[in-house]
Amino acid sequence: DANGDPAPEFFSFIGGSQKYLPAVTCILAPYVNSYRRLVRSGLEVIGAQADMAASLRTTVESLQVLTWAGELAGVSMGEIEQATKKLTTRLSEAAAGSGSAVGALQRLNLTAAELQALPLDQRIVAIQDALARYVPEAERAAVASDLFGDRAALAFLRIDSATLREAAQDVQDFGVAVSATDAAQIERTGDAIAKLSLIWLGLTNRL
């Protein structure tokens, strides 16, 4: 329903399934299992992205943009995750006045507070734009290392502002973007499907 809770029709569906599905289980089983695996796989991806977004203090949509930008630039999700976690930690340290990011942010004319207020993909855009504007090319890797860590910095330098903006547009154009509300609803749907799986298992066990 409008509150995200099971509606009466949902319980009617469950009751009808328990009553009538056993008669057609042998016909439906292959298709139901394939569909269930496909849907569950998609829901698990969104659920994992929601958890990661929360840990990185950003939105699911922002993480989707960054993931697609990595695909376009040839940067793996593992490299993105490592770098963004390091950035999140170092921005927190810089906000408290300590850590290697303090000097890097001064060179970029940015503050930890203003970057923390942005979604993750926009944080990266702001950093990339500032690197291009204020730091000579030969010194950019060193400055990026202070923010992302030595290994991840080189990978992130490949995800430039233009690539991030292209990825953001693609995510919007192809309807991939998932809002915080959508992500919460998807997680609830995943829980409901898990319950349906238990019901299906119970039905097949009675055959």
Side-chain angles (χ1 to χ4, degrees):
D1 60 19
N3 297 320
D5 297 319
E9 292 83 356
F10 176 78
F11 291 111
S12 295
F13 170 75
I14 298 299
S17 297
Q18 290 175 317
K19 182 175 181 179
Y20 296 111
L21 277 179
V24 292
T25 297
C26 59
I27 299 173
L28 295 178
Y31 303 102
V32 171
N33 284 332
S34 296
Y35 180 73
R36 178 174 55 83
R37 284 194 294 268
L38 178 63
V39 172
R40 177 172 288 180
S41 176
L43 294 175
E44 287 174 351
V45 168
I46 298 298
Q49 288 179 332
D51 291 341
M52 186 184 298
S55 71
L56 296 174
R57 302 176 190 176
T58 189
T59 63
V60 175
E61 180 179 350
S62 177
L63 192 59
Q64 289 174 316
V65 169
L66 196 54
T67 300
W68 182 236
E71 290 283 343
L72 295 175
V75 178
S76 71
M77 190 59 214
E79 291 174 306
I80 290 174
E81 184 176 358
Q82 178 186 2
T84 51
K85 285 182 177 179
K86 185 72 70 174
L87 176 64
T88 300
T89 299
R90 293 190 175 182
L91 287 179
S92 296
E93 293 172 348
S98 63
S100 61
V102 172
L105 292 174
Q106 290 174 345
R107 293 203 61 183
L108 297 174
N109 289 314
L110 296 171
T111 67
E114 65 184 330
L115 287 176
Q116 288 174 320
L118 296 173
L120 183 56
D121 62 310
Q122 295 178 31
R123 285 178 221 165
I124 308 303
V125 168
I127 290 169
Q128 292 284 26
D129 285 345
L131 280 169
R133 179 177 299 179
Y134 299 115
V135 181
E137 186 172 357
E139 300 174 22
R140 290 174 192 169
V143 174
S145 294
D146 289 338
L147 295 171
F148 299 108
D150 294 337
R151 295 182 60 184
L154 294 178
F156 247 86
L157 286 174
R158 304 206 306 270
I159 306 179
D160 57 21
S161 300
T163 301
L164 282 162
R165 292 187 176 101
E166 179 184 354
Q169 191 63 52
D170 286 346
V171 166
Q172 289 296 326
D173 290 347
F174 293 107
V176 178
V178 174
S179 68
T181 301
D182 291 337
Q185 181 60 55
I186 286 169
E187 289 192 293
R188 287 194 292 270
T189 301
D191 292 340
I193 288 179
K195 293 176 182 178
L196 285 173
S197 297
L198 288 176
I199 292 170
W200 183 258
L201 179 60
L203 289 172
T204 55
N205 286 342
R206 283 166 27 203
L207 295 178

